Amino acid sequence: MELKDIAAVSGKGGLFKILKPTKTGVILESLDASKTRLVATIHHKISVLEEISIYTTTQEGTVPFKEVLYTIFEEFGDDTGLDKNSDADELKSFMGHVLPDYDEDRVYVSDIKKVVTWYNALLKEAPELLKRPAEVTEDSNEKTK
């Protein structure tokens, strides 16, 4: 499974695994233990995690969400000490630690809550997605030749 296989649906809690397309939408299955299925149509707002990015004040203007996930995992592992009910100042401080140049004017506390909630869900249901892929070195390339 990869981040391109995971989606969030506006108005629906949690994350969903993308199973397959239909003529009018896509079939999704919740990542949690309930494995609830949903047929998402054009009336649903679906966000694929691979396509999400966080606003920054850098020249690029954004950082891919997966890079933020990797950083959180490297810094905090399996315990951020936060959840969706955490204090707004705690959440802002957390985001400032993980992504120092995030755009405080465009990234709202509700967005940071989603980052924490999604991170916790992925940690529980698909922890392999939080680990940065191994770097390919020239040495390993030469050994395969």
Side-chain angles (χ1 to χ4, degrees):
M1 187 170 12
E2 297 176 36
L3 281 183
K4 67 181 176 86
D5 302 322
I6 309 292
V9 180
S10 183
K12 305 282 184 193
L15 294 174
F16 295 83
K17 180 178 179 183
I18 301 169
L19 297 180
K20 62 182 178 179
T22 66
K23 289 181 181 180
T24 59
V26 64
I27 299 173
L28 305 172
E29 180 179 75
S30 65
L31 275 186
D32 62 14
S34 71
K35 301 296 181 200
T36 306
R37 290 197 177 192
L38 164 73
V39 177
T41 65
I42 59 171
H43 301 291
H44 294 93
K45 183 177 181 201
I46 301 172
S47 300
V48 178
L49 297 192
E50 179 79 23
E51 298 171 1
I52 295 174
S53 55
I54 309 280
Y55 290 115
T56 64
T57 56
T58 62
Q59 185 174 356
E60 292 82 24
T62 62
V63 168
F65 181 58
K66 67 181 175 181
E67 291 299 321
V68 175
L69 290 174
Y70 297 152
T71 302
I72 294 171
F73 186 74
E74 290 164 1
E75 293 283 324
F76 296 93
D78 62 354
D79 186 18
T80 60
L82 300 170
D83 62 23
K84 65 180 179 182
N85 299 319
S86 295
D87 181 62
D89 290 334
E90 276 184 297
L91 291 166
K92 288 179 182 179
S93 175
F94 168 77
M95 185 56 77
H97 177 77
V98 172
L99 188 61
D101 43 2
Y102 85 97
D103 190 336
E104 294 182 37
D105 295 330
R106 297 171 73 188
V107 178
Y108 303 109
V109 172
S110 61
D111 299 324
I112 302 170
K113 285 181 181 184
K114 285 180 191 174
V115 169
V116 170
T117 302
W118 293 349
Y119 176 82
N120 289 336
L122 289 171
L123 184 63
K124 184 177 179 184
E125 303 298 334
E128 69 278 3
L129 298 180
L130 302 173
K131 296 176 184 167
R132 194 178 300 273
E135 296 289 327
V136 177
T137 63
E138 287 186 30
D139 292 338
S140 64
N141 284 341
E142 288 178 14
K143 289 177 186 174
T144 58
K145 288 183 181 177

